[in-house]
Amino acid sequence: AQTVTQSQPEMSVQEAETVTLSCTYDTSESDYYLFWYKQPPSRQMILVIRQEAYKQQNATENRFSVNFQKAAKSFSLKISDSQLGDAAMYFCAYRSIRGADGLTFGKGTHLIIQP
Amino acid sequence: NAGVMQNPRHLVRRRGQEARLRCSPMKGHSHVYWYRQLPEEGLKFMVYLQKENIIDESGMPKERFSAEFPKEGPSILRIQQVVRGDSAAYFCASSPLLDRAAFFGQGTRLTVV
């Protein structure tokens, strides 16, 4: 079974600074998908960024980018120019290419933005 | 195109009652997933359905829990004879294809008193 580990229960960053959230995972599969989801206080789960394991290029979405290290099974999220609206729980998630067993989530990192 | 709609947003049930949680996927989405989130935890997969079929229910408790996604109408997660430990936020997600990212609803917070 796959596992996802987020080792930082909480992170704090000054507004406009850059922060990196860590995620590692364990799998025996060679093809899979990785995701970062954001959960603000409203509890809505919002997709931040998605990475296909077969793609070597790191995914980027505006201020959000990932550092995907397949051999190390690491998938960190970098948030540049942090904004107050970025404050939320961030969950890293894994999904098998088969997809039938849904997403496996980490326990989350609570991101605090200091004004 | 409305997002994934879940209702009710909040549901209070007494121990022993039944809870019915509804999920209307995004238009054009035929894949539906249900997840449960306990306090201070990430989401845990429960069940994956396509129209009229349960594809994978490996994450769902064997007793008291059932799910359906009929040809017409929303997907339903049903919990019979609820107990305090069922109190959690239940999220539904949908996607148009198996290899596409899932979009989540706002969740239903179930409180069992």
Side-chain angles (χ1 to χ4, degrees):
Chain A
Q2 295 84 14
T3 58
V4 176
T5 302
Q6 293 179 249
S7 58
Q8 307 152 316
E10 187 172 281
M11 291 283 285
S12 181
V13 64
Q14 290 287 132
E15 196 175 0
E17 297 289 305
T18 295
V19 64
T20 299
L21 308 185
S22 301
C23 172
T24 58
Y25 58 94
D26 189 25
T27 183
S28 58
E29 299 177 328
S30 58
D31 285 328
Y32 45 86
Y33 302 98
L34 295 164
F35 305 85
W36 278 98
Y37 279 90
K38 169 185 176 181
Q39 187 178 42
S42 67
R43 288 195 292 116
Q44 175 81 51
M45 291 290 286
I46 301 165
L47 176 66
V48 175
I49 202 163
R50 174 181 187 242
Q51 174 84 42
E52 291 91 344
Y54 62 84
K55 288 186 178 178
Q56 293 191 345
Q57 187 171 7
N58 289 323
T60 298
E61 287 288 340
N62 301 312
R63 297 183 295 107
F64 298 87
S65 61
V66 297
N67 183 4
F68 173 47
Q69 303 287 331
K70 190 172 183 181
K73 295 180 182 174
S74 171
F75 183 60
S76 60
L77 174 70
K78 185 171 88 171
I79 306 173
S80 304
D81 185 25
S82 298
Q83 300 176 0
L84 293 177
D86 295 335
M89 284 292 291
Y90 285 81
F91 292 97
C92 177
Y94 170 103
R95 205 194 83 188
S96 168
I97 202 160
R98 296 176 294 110
D101 49 358
L103 292 160
T104 299
F105 284 87
K107 290 196 173 185
T109 296
H110 181 209
L111 179 63
I112 298 168
I113 311 294
Q114 305 276 9
Chain B
N1 189 4
V4 179
M5 304 301 292
Q6 288 189 250
N7 67 82
R9 291 290 308 278
H10 301 275
L11 182 61
V12 179
R13 283 288 177 267
R14 295 188 183 280
R15 279 180 294 170
Q17 290 185 320
E18 178 180 286
R20 279 185 177 241
L21 288 62
R22 294 175 184 75
C23 169
S24 296
M26 288 179 72
K27 188 176 180 180
H29 288 198
S30 58
H31 302 257
V32 167
Y33 301 82
W34 284 94
Y35 294 84
R36 177 164 63 177
Q37 185 179 30
L38 296 170
E40 310 301 324
E41 295 279 331
L43 279 69
K44 293 283 196 292
F45 167 76
M46 298 181 74
V47 62
Y48 162 45
L49 311 104
Q50 292 182 27
K51 282 287 186 183
E52 299 185 278
N53 287 305
I54 296 174
I55 308 301
D56 184 346
E57 55 184 348
S58 59
M60 201 150 70
K62 295 285 187 284
E63 297 180 355
R64 301 188 299 107
F65 286 73
S66 63
E68 62 178 15
F69 188 18
K71 188 176 180 181
E72 300 290 338
S75 176
I76 306 285
L77 179 67
R78 183 182 177 207
I79 311 172
Q80 294 177 291
Q81 299 175 316
V82 295
V83 300
R84 288 242 170 92
D86 297 332
S87 294
Y90 292 82
F91 287 89
C92 169
S94 73
S95 66
L97 295 168
L98 198 57
D99 64 343
R100 293 288 184 266
F103 291 87
F104 281 79
Q106 289 191 288
T108 293
R109 183 171 292 281
L110 172 66
T111 302
V112 179
V113 297

